[in-house]
Amino acid sequence: MTWLITGGAGYIGAHVARSMSDAGERVLALDDLSAGVAGRLPADVPLVRGSSLDAGLLKRVFAEHEVTGVVHLAARKQVAESVAQPARYYQENVGGLGTLLEAVAEAGIRKFVFSSSAAVYGSPDVDLITEDTPCAPVNPYGETKLAGEWLVRAAGRAHGISTVCLRYFNVAGAAAPELADTGVFNIVPMVFDRLARDDAPRIFGDDHPTPDGTCIRDYVHVADLAEAHLAAARRLADLGGDLTVNIGRGVGVSVRELVTVIGEVTGDTRPAVVEARRPGDAPRAVASAERAAGELGWSARRGVREMVESAWRGWLLHHPD
């Protein structure tokens, strides 16, 4: 098979490209480089510069490279931005997905892996979030991911496309320093950024109903996440079907515990400053990882300290000063 990875030069996309290529899969990347970095890609993974919203480009790429499966990661993904620009998020995340799926169906491609998110669940009051937990997203980003899942499954039924929707929990770390997340949108690089500015980390709320009062989250190493995509692609190649799977460790880590690990790794152990809770923050959001193990034969192998240590090496590479 030949797999096209949309958003393949992004933080997660490049990890997926490397993991699949290292495992012997034929892959190529499509990325407009608005957030991606071409240098992240292995030398044996071709890069097509362009957008997954460009139907003409998709048609040419599918034909020229004889693509037989798609891993779709290209999307806008910042919660605050989605609240400020909901129409843009629906247009790109849902409308763009529709354009891609139409091109996939026309080209006769029958394998599709969709990058979804735990944001589809919203703020459920449960100890472990299973794939059957009701979805009630609380922001436009989560809404577009849930609508995307509906669209993927509908297209699968209509056109005989086998699909897997992967609901990521909180992604961190780097498989190699050059692949590290260069944005400052997720909690680990956000804390690094504050420390680099000689400022204390921020914790939003310490009065949640959790053991230390701070929110509890499920963090998964991006290298483990990449391996989950490989497992999903191979599942589709071997068995087909229609599957929705959580991708997490099934282990909860509080924000205060995470900040403590970051302090130990960086050597900057100044205490965090507690600010008011943010609206919509769930006290606890931890995945049930049983379906991933049973259906994909996948489970996370790396812990939080390895995530932070690998992210720190990447931060130092990209921020030498």
Side-chain angles (χ1 to χ4, degrees):
M1 292 189 66
T2 298
W3 292 90
L4 174 70
I5 304 174
T6 68
Y11 166 53
I12 295 174
H15 279 89
V16 174
R18 180 174 293 197
S19 179
M20 294 183 69
S21 177
D22 287 350
E25 300 291 337
R26 293 178 58 197
V27 298
L28 68 149
L30 175 68
D31 201 298
D32 64 7
L33 301 184
S34 59
V37 179
R40 285 177 169 149
L41 289 166
D44 61 346
V45 175
L47 170 64
V48 177
R49 184 167 183 176
S51 171
S52 56
L53 283 72
D54 186 337
L57 174 63
L58 292 170
K59 184 176 181 178
R60 293 194 300 274
V61 170
F62 290 159
E64 291 173 8
H65 294 273
E66 299 180 342
V67 173
T68 50
V70 172
V71 180
H72 181 49
L73 295 104
R76 305 202 69 83
K77 61 177 185 177
Q78 303 306 325
V79 169
E81 184 182 58
S82 79
V83 173
Q85 302 178 44
R88 182 182 187 186
Y89 267 66
Y90 272 87
Q91 181 181 26
E92 296 193 24
N93 288 6
V94 183
L97 175 60
T99 298
L100 175 61
L101 286 167
E102 287 180 349
V104 163
E106 183 180 347
I109 296 168
R110 294 296 178 260
K111 312 293 181 184
F112 195 93
V113 179
F114 177 59
S115 162
S116 188
S117 168
V120 301
Y121 294 115
S123 303
D125 184 16
V126 294
D127 287 336
L128 288 178
I129 298 173
T130 75
E131 291 81 358
D132 297 321
T133 298
C135 293
V138 295
N139 54 64
Y141 167 67
E143 292 168 1
T144 65
K145 284 300 184 180
L146 183 56
E149 289 188 11
W150 295 339
L151 183 53
V152 166
R153 287 190 282 268
R157 291 189 296 269
H159 303 293
I161 303 169
S162 296
T163 64
V164 176
C165 296
L166 300 179
R167 293 174 173 171
Y168 312 167
F169 279 66
N170 298 266
V171 184
E178 64 272 17
L179 298 182
D181 189 359
T182 56
V184 186
F185 304 107
N186 298 319
I187 184 170
V188 173
M190 286 175 67
V191 175
F192 290 166
D193 183 62
R194 296 200 73 88
L195 296 178
R197 297 173 186 275
D198 197 28
D199 200 355
R202 295 292 191 265
I203 291 177
F204 296 99
D206 64 352
D207 57 349
H208 293 275
T210 62
D212 67 13
T214 68
C215 294
I216 292 174
R217 295 291 181 264
D218 190 332
Y219 298 94
V220 60
H221 197 296
V222 67
D224 284 326
L225 176 63
E227 291 168 6
H229 286 78
L230 172 63
R234 289 186 164 171
R235 153 72 188 239
L236 289 182
D238 293 340
L239 300 176
D242 172 14
L243 192 62
T244 300
V245 187
N246 287 338
I247 302 299
R249 293 192 306 134
V251 177
V253 177
S254 78
V255 172
R256 191 177 294 281
E257 289 171 335
L258 180 64
V259 169
T260 297
V261 173
I262 293 172
E264 293 169 354
V265 169
T266 62
D268 190 330
T269 58
R270 73 186 75 187
V273 174
V274 177
E275 297 186 352
R277 291 190 193 186
R278 294 178 301 190
D281 267 351
R284 177 182 175 88
V286 180
S288 166
E290 291 184 6
R291 183 177 294 181
E295 296 287 351
L296 300 181
W298 173 90
S299 58
R301 298 186 291 116
R302 301 162 179 88
V304 166
R305 181 169 290 273
E306 187 169 353
M307 295 179 214
V308 173
E309 289 174 344
S310 63
W312 181 235
R313 288 190 291 270
W315 178 271
L316 293 176
L317 175 67
H318 293 289
H319 302 83
D321 296 330

